[in-house]
Every structure is written in structure tokens, then in C-alpha cells.
Amino acid sequence: MASTAVTTEHIQSEFRNVQDHICAFLNDADGVPFREDAWDYGKGSGGGRTRVWEHAKLLEKGGVNFSAIQGASLPPAAATEFKLAPGTPFLATGVSLVLHPWNPYVPTIHMNIRYFEAGDLWWFGGGIDVTPYYPVREEVVAYHRRLKQVCDESGEDYAAHKKNCDEYFFLKHRDETRGIGGTFFDHLKSDKAKNLAYCVNLGRAFPDLYRPFIEAHRNDKHTDAEREFQLYRRGRYVEFNLVYDRGTLFGLQSQGRTESILMSLPATAHWRYDWRPGPGTREAQLTDEYLKPRDWLSLG
């Protein structure tokens, strides 16, 4: 298929199918169906489907969004960044998800795939990253192996996209990564058919990437102190999304649907003044061994 044959309608259709695929998996994994809000983009045309779980069995809060919006003018900050004239129309479509489980032994996970065009410019972006609280090395290695397989099957460079992820999901003010990484890519524009296939392959692989964490730990017993640590670490998640995340910033600047944009935030998070875990604890192990870029495949 030539790049010119890939229409925006086809991209949107493929992304909607990815949302359906992931939501079917999560409905089965949780046992509680999602709540769906269909919405229209008030500042232009298009809209989306926001699907949310709140206070369910597995998920304390989670959501899988599909959106496809068109506007008559890019937000000023985006127009400046992309070196486009003010008033340039744009189209943005994608699927994004964030899941915050109840159990501190099941990690938080984020994934998105997206397509953007404005004027003569177009590109794909996306990625996936996992934020554990009590990680298990073998599970981290297996997750990265499956990601490498997705990249290999899609003709993409796992090592380069992993490096991008480690650098992007990094809290500079904390000097730590958000989690154990994954893949991240932006401004991917070599061939529309190939780039779209990579995004779809990643989305369809989501159950394979997340199911092992759920099956291993959803019924694990945890203490109140471990739950408190989970809430404390969720605060770092909030800090990243509100300070650094480009998607959150673009969504708010483009006057998108605030409820959908901020769906990524957990229901509950705690901040504790200058708290530090005791040396040698599993809580200390998280930051000492896992929240820094590592070649996970070499540890398997």
C-alpha cells in the first residue's frame, strides 16, 4: 500500500478498532464494564469516545480514550513549535489509556498511539510505559522482550524507541524515570502505511503486555503501608503529567475535553514531606534499581 492511499478516515477507523480491542480485554480482566461518554469537539469538528472504569474490581480508576478532532487554527504554542503560520488548520486523532489498579503489586500503565497533521505536515507518535510500585525483575524483562518483538515485527528500532522513552518519561526535578520504561516515538513520518501498522501493532499487543502483570498479582495480599507507598508514588505520576506531558499540554491548549484529558490522573494520590524509604527495603529498591535507564533485555 502506498503512503498516499492511507486516508485519515482509515487511520481513525483503525484507531477505533484498537480502542475496542483493548476495552474488550479490560472488561474481561476487570469483570466490570466501562462507562462510555461520546462527546463532540466544541472548538471545531469531530469528537471522541471516553471509556472509564472507576472503583471497579481490578481498577481503582482507568480509561481508554479515542478522539479525532479538527480545528481551524493550531494553538499558538503549537504553531510556533511546528514552525507553521498562525491559522493553520489541524487534525489530531489517537487512542490513549492510563490504568491505576487498586493493588500496589499490579503496576500503573500508560499507552497511546496518535496521528497529527497540519498544513503539509503529518506524523505518527505514541508509546507505552509501565510504572510499578513493587516490580519483579523477571516480569520487567518479559515485558521488554514482548515490546522488542512488536518493534521487530513492525520494522522499528526497539533500542532507539526505548531510549526515547527513558529520556521522555523522566522527572528532572526528581532525577528519576517515571517507571521501568517501554517505547516512545514521535514525528514518525517515513511511510504512512508502515507507521500506521506499527501504531496498530502496539495497540493490539497491549493485552499481551499487561496481562502477565495482572495474572501474577491481582490477588496478592498487601499491607496498609504498601498501599500508602503506592499512593505516595502516584504523586510522582501526577507531577509528570501536569508538568511535562506534551499530550496533556496540547489537549488543554487546543481546548479539548478537559474530563478526557485529565482522565490520566489517579483517583487518589498522596504527598509526604521529605519522606524517604528505609535502606534495604523494597520501597528503596524501586528507586535504587528500577527508576533509572537499564538494558533490561541483558538481565533476562
Side-chain angles (χ1 to χ4, degrees):
M1 178 185 287
S3 293
T4 53
V6 179
T7 65
T8 57
E9 290 78 12
H10 177 64
I11 295 169
Q12 292 173 47
S13 176
E14 289 288 288
F15 284 0
R16 279 192 293 268
N17 289 339
V18 166
Q19 184 196 33
D20 289 339
H21 175 70
I22 293 172
C23 288
F25 158 69
L26 290 173
N27 274 348
D28 182 64
D30 195 302
V32 174
F34 57 77
R35 164 192 169 184
E36 177 175 294
D37 284 333
W39 52 273
D40 297 321
Y41 180 47
K43 300 297 180 179
S45 61
R49 305 185 303 195
T50 295
R51 294 174 174 175
V52 175
W53 292 261
E54 285 188 304
H55 297 280
K57 294 179 181 178
L58 170 70
L59 300 173
E60 183 176 7
K61 184 181 177 187
V64 184
N65 288 341
F66 164 80
S67 63
I69 63 172
Q70 297 183 65
S73 179
L74 275 172
T80 299
E81 178 184 353
F82 304 147
K83 298 181 174 57
L84 293 170
T88 302
F90 72 92
L91 177 146
T93 184
V95 177
S96 63
L97 68 85
V98 177
L99 307 177
H100 296 287
W102 288 102
N103 196 314
Y105 287 106
V106 182
T108 288
I109 191 166
H110 155 265
M111 191 204 79
N112 77 80
I113 52 175
R114 58 188 181 274
Y115 171 77
F116 178 85
E117 66 177 34
D120 296 329
L121 297 179
W122 63 267
W123 61 80
F124 289 86
I128 184 168
D129 71 296
V130 168
T131 304
Y133 308 97
Y134 292 95
V136 176
R137 177 173 293 189
E138 293 77 11
E139 294 168 3
V140 174
V141 172
Y143 156 75
H144 276 278
R145 282 179 177 164
R146 182 66 181 96
L147 269 181
K148 186 178 186 304
Q149 184 181 10
V150 172
C151 291
D152 290 346
E153 292 170 350
S154 305
E156 295 294 337
D157 187 342
Y158 160 81
H161 292 177
K162 177 190 178 298
K163 183 174 183 291
N164 291 341
C165 186
D166 290 336
E167 293 175 350
Y168 179 71
F169 292 105
F170 187 80
L171 285 81
K172 301 177 183 66
H173 62 288
R174 299 289 191 180
D175 193 28
E176 63 186 30
T177 58
R178 186 165 81 171
I180 49 90
T183 58
F184 179 80
F185 53 95
D186 205 4
H187 295 269
L188 203 62
K189 50 185 177 182
S190 59
D191 178 273
K192 274 190 180 178
K194 178 177 181 291
N195 301 155
L196 173 61
Y198 176 38
C199 289
V200 172
N201 289 346
L202 179 61
R204 295 196 67 82
F206 179 82
D208 292 340
L209 292 161
Y210 198 45
R211 183 185 291 110
F213 295 110
I214 296 173
E215 291 182 347
H217 300 294
R218 67 182 304 157
N219 294 319
D220 285 2
K221 302 299 182 183
H222 62 271
T223 66
D224 291 344
E226 289 167 339
R227 168 67 171 169
E228 183 65 27
F229 181 68
Q230 177 197 44
L231 300 181
Y232 166 75
R233 290 301 312 180
R234 279 184 182 173
R236 305 292 173 90
Y237 205 92
V238 172
E239 289 174 20
F240 180 88
N241 276 31
L242 296 183
V243 175
Y244 299 115
D245 188 69
R246 298 174 195 164
T248 301
L249 182 62
F250 177 81
L252 296 175
Q253 288 178 340
S254 60
Q255 297 181 292
R257 187 171 185 262
T258 302
E259 287 298 311
S260 298
I261 296 164
L262 298 182
M263 174 211 72
S264 61
L265 300 181
T268 310
H270 292 174
W271 282 263
R272 298 168 64 182
Y273 179 76
D274 199 28
W275 182 83
R276 301 172 192 275
T281 62
R282 292 193 66 187
E283 291 78 12
Q285 183 185 42
L286 175 67
T287 50
D288 293 345
E289 298 183 21
Y290 288 90
L291 300 187
K292 56 186 65 178
R294 301 190 68 170
D295 178 8
W296 294 107
L297 298 184
S298 69
L299 301 177

